[in-house]
Amino acid sequence: MTTLYPISLICPICDISFTSNEIGSCGYGSKRTDFRPNYWGFNPVQYFFHLCPSCGFCGSKKLFDSKLENKELRKRIHKMGPLSEGSLSKKLERAIICLEIMNELEIIKQNNFTFANNWLYPYWWAESAKEENKFGKVVLNYFKKAFNEGQVPSDQIFAVRYLIAEINRRIGNKEIASEMFDEVISLTENNKEQEFIHNLATQQKTNPKENL
């Protein structure tokens, strides 16, 4: 069951006060084959991030509780301006762009692997095939950088390689997806600890499903 409650926030960029909603609890009964949760009840993701209606800054409650007095950050957020479209995918995209700007300005410190996982949110909740393709490519690019720089945790390597294959499949890169599924299948063969990923990669290559 998903529950939420109203909260009052002060934007750390433009200092206006506004009311938003915070998730009290949520859960899911299943996942898609790209690991997106299928939540019980209404979708709580809308309330994972808060959007300032004045300047367009978007982030977690923790960020709204922070003092973000960096002048360059404020300049760049104001340059983007408020969101003219209130769709979930646009809100999620804005939240991650704000994180990227803060990371670039060294206000926060996140690596490519973390950003790949951040960008999964806009990809998972894309509201058109065009958006799914766009955000999927961003996720894949960050995962590629994360692998190149050794940032993927060792216990997640096979799951991430599978996820890369599945995202490629879903955005239409069938040949790349097939090659990567083959790689995962080969690397996890006779590995009891990776039996789930092995079987899932085999399924998605030969007879793909929507949900786990």
Side-chain angles (χ1 to χ4, degrees):
M1 181 179 179
T2 302
T3 61
L4 69 157
Y5 55 91
I7 56 172
S8 295
L9 296 173
I10 298 175
C11 179
I13 300 298
C14 68
D15 301 318
I16 74 150
S17 299
F18 67 99
T19 300
S20 187
N21 287 287
E22 183 82 338
I23 286 292
S25 63
C26 63
Y28 56 87
S30 64
K31 289 185 177 183
R32 283 195 331 195
T33 48
D34 60 357
F35 304 144
R36 190 199 80 177
N38 295 320
Y39 289 101
W40 289 314
F42 65 86
N43 186 359
V45 177
Q46 176 74 28
Y47 308 102
F48 289 176
F49 302 97
H50 307 284
L51 175 65
C52 175
S54 177
C55 70
F57 177 74
C58 190
S60 66
K61 185 176 183 297
K62 181 179 179 180
L63 287 177
F64 275 88
D65 290 338
S66 304
K67 289 186 177 181
L68 301 177
E69 298 177 343
N70 184 289
K71 291 183 179 179
E72 180 62 20
L73 173 63
R74 292 190 171 204
K75 177 182 176 182
R76 291 176 67 171
I77 297 299
H78 282 298
K79 185 177 180 180
M80 287 194 296
L83 275 179
S84 58
E85 183 182 338
S87 68
L88 174 59
S89 59
K90 292 296 184 185
K91 180 180 181 180
L92 296 174
E93 179 184 24
R94 175 59 64 90
I96 313 306
I97 288 173
C98 289
L99 285 177
E100 288 182 326
I101 294 171
M102 286 187 285
N103 194 62
E104 182 184 335
L105 296 174
E106 299 183 345
I107 297 166
I108 61 170
K109 188 174 182 179
Q110 293 189 354
N111 65 20
N112 293 308
F113 181 69
T114 301
F115 272 113
N117 284 286
N118 287 335
W119 277 103
L120 279 171
Y121 282 99
Y123 159 74
W124 278 340
W125 305 104
E127 296 176 59
S128 68
K130 183 178 180 180
E131 281 191 341
E132 183 179 44
N133 188 282
K134 172 186 173 182
F135 298 138
K137 287 179 178 178
V138 176
V139 173
L140 294 174
N141 187 49
Y142 269 117
F143 274 139
K144 181 179 180 180
K145 291 179 181 178
F147 269 112
N148 288 341
E149 297 180 21
Q151 297 170 351
V152 181
S154 58
D155 62 343
Q156 297 183 45
I157 286 175
F158 296 120
V160 172
R161 287 191 181 280
Y162 160 79
L163 180 56
I164 291 170
E166 177 63 7
I167 292 174
N168 271 294
R169 186 191 70 81
R170 285 176 174 263
I171 66 173
N173 298 331
K174 304 297 184 182
E175 186 174 336
I176 295 173
S178 181
E179 290 174 359
M180 294 206 65
F181 282 134
D182 282 339
E183 179 184 322
V184 173
I185 292 166
S186 175
L187 290 172
T188 56
E189 190 171 8
N190 300 319
N191 185 334
K192 284 292 183 182
E193 293 183 357
Q194 300 298 329
E195 185 175 5
F196 172 75
I197 293 298
H198 177 84
N199 292 340
L200 188 55
T202 302
Q203 170 190 282
Q204 293 307 99
K205 174 180 167 62
T206 60
N207 185 26
K209 308 291 185 185
E210 176 69 12
N211 295 304
L212 294 177

